[in-house]
Amino acid sequence: MSDFWILLTGSLVAACCGIVGVFLVLRKMAMIGDAISHSVMPGIVIAFLISGTRDSLVMMFAALLFGLLTTFLIGLFQRSGIQSDASIGVVFTALFAIGVILVSLFARQVHLDQDAILYGEIAFVHWNLWEVGGVSMGPKAVWLLGVTLIAIAAVIGLFYKQFKLCAFDPALAAAIGIPVALFHYILMGLVSMATVSSFESVGAILVVGMLIIPASTAYLLTDRLGMMIALSIAVGVASTFAGYGASIILDASIAGCIVCAAGLLFVAAFLLSPSHGLISRRLRQRKLAAETTANGAGAV
């Protein structure tokens, strides 16, 4: 039964991260996803210190605040003339360092250590159960990720056209009256939700892989947004199953194997994609060169 919960948890993480990851990739904001996934750490620790509990809802609210704070600070520094990559690096490293210090000072003995936050503990997800009236309802992580997935899907579904236009042409979106800044912060809030919901399963570092790699793979395989989202989820779920199988064979980290499997799928798409793959591009170039040579010879 533990295998089922591990695979279900990994698949839910892949779905949550895969949906929002597509919009991050399209908007060339992949590193902001990295920044948010690290900078929410102090929010999680502060929430624990204030509430005295690891209740996921409290931590999610704190993570949302710090995710939005991260986005605001990055934008503030960029508008002040600092380069985009430098702004991201300054904000997320500073906030992440604050989180590490807070954990080492105040939360070392409460299973909120750096390893748990960085690397996750998906192998133990079936032990942390939610009980109602003495009846086990299943792992808490599954319920949290399920609710997060429903929330993300609902928001994206309700405002699909707005998110699509903001991703492909923010200038046009602003010109026709869409509040681009508002939808930017909504997206960042969804990224924060996906990130903090995934901490206990894949950790802060590896969640970046699930945010970006499946979406980047899907980007190579299709030019349609709806299909891109579906493929991103499919790649993430396939990576979960393949990575879990590899972790059993190799007796290695489950989360690490899942992200490595996603990386291998990306490499396969990079090489074999019909439209954007390296091999298909080389074949088209050779065909074009051969046609050019043949036309030149015919003219002579």
Side-chain angles (χ1 to χ4, degrees):
M1 193 63 179
S2 63
D3 292 344
F4 169 77
W5 291 121
I6 290 171
L7 291 172
L8 179 58
T9 302
S11 298
L12 289 172
V13 170
C16 291
C17 294
I19 296 173
V20 295
V22 165
F23 292 96
L24 292 179
V25 169
L26 288 175
R27 298 182 65 179
K28 297 181 174 62
M29 295 170 60
M31 291 309 297
I32 287 188
D34 185 11
I36 290 178
S37 68
H38 286 73
S39 60
V40 297
M41 186 173 173
I44 292 174
V45 181
I46 292 172
F48 171 78
L49 294 177
I50 293 175
S51 65
T53 178
R54 293 179 62 210
D55 182 87
S56 297
L57 291 178
V58 177
M59 289 186 175
M60 179 173 288
F61 179 73
L64 284 172
L65 291 180
F66 269 79
L68 294 176
L69 174 63
T70 300
T71 306
F72 173 77
L73 290 176
I74 291 173
L76 178 65
F77 293 156
Q78 289 176 348
R79 289 191 295 271
S80 299
I82 300 176
Q83 293 182 348
S84 175
D85 54 348
S87 300
I88 293 172
V90 168
V91 173
F92 98 77
T93 52
L95 290 176
F96 185 64
I98 292 172
V100 171
I101 292 172
L102 290 174
V103 169
S104 63
L105 289 176
F106 303 111
R108 191 189 300 266
Q109 305 301 324
V110 293
H111 199 55
L112 194 65
D113 54 67
Q114 294 96 321
D115 287 343
I117 291 177
L118 292 178
Y119 306 116
E121 47 189 21
I122 194 171
F124 308 125
V125 70
H126 59 285
W127 289 351
N128 187 16
L129 302 176
W130 179 37
E131 295 187 356
V132 178
V135 178
S136 174
M137 304 297 290
K140 290 182 179 179
V142 170
W143 284 95
L144 177 61
L145 287 164
V147 171
T148 302
L149 178 58
I150 291 173
I152 291 173
V155 172
I156 296 297
L158 286 173
F159 302 103
Y160 180 78
K161 292 182 179 179
Q162 289 86 342
F163 279 112
K164 181 178 182 179
L165 196 53
C166 289
F168 286 103
D169 196 340
L172 176 60
I176 63 176
I178 295 176
V180 176
L182 174 62
F183 281 99
H184 171 74
Y185 283 109
I186 291 175
L187 177 62
M188 295 303 103
L190 296 178
V191 173
S192 300
M193 287 178 62
T195 298
V196 73
S197 299
S198 305
F199 273 142
E200 293 191 11
S201 50
V202 299
I205 291 178
L206 296 182
V207 73
V208 179
M210 298 307 288
L211 272 172
I212 304 306
I213 299 176
S216 300
T217 304
Y219 180 82
L220 293 172
L221 297 175
T222 182
D223 295 323
R224 294 171 51 205
L225 179 58
M227 181 58 69
M228 194 178 299
I229 293 174
L231 285 174
S232 179
I233 296 173
V235 169
V237 173
S239 302
T240 298
F241 280 79
Y244 183 56
S247 71
I248 294 175
I249 296 173
L250 300 174
D251 190 23
S253 163
I254 298 175
C257 287
I258 289 173
V259 176
C260 284
L264 290 175
L265 291 176
F266 172 80
V267 171
F270 177 74
L271 294 174
L272 304 174
S273 170
S275 55
H276 301 290
L278 180 62
I279 294 176
S280 61
R281 287 204 307 269
R282 292 290 175 84
L283 291 175
R284 286 197 298 269
Q285 289 172 357
R286 289 184 180 181
K287 183 179 179 180
L288 180 61
E291 291 176 351
T292 303
T293 303
N295 291 336
V300 173

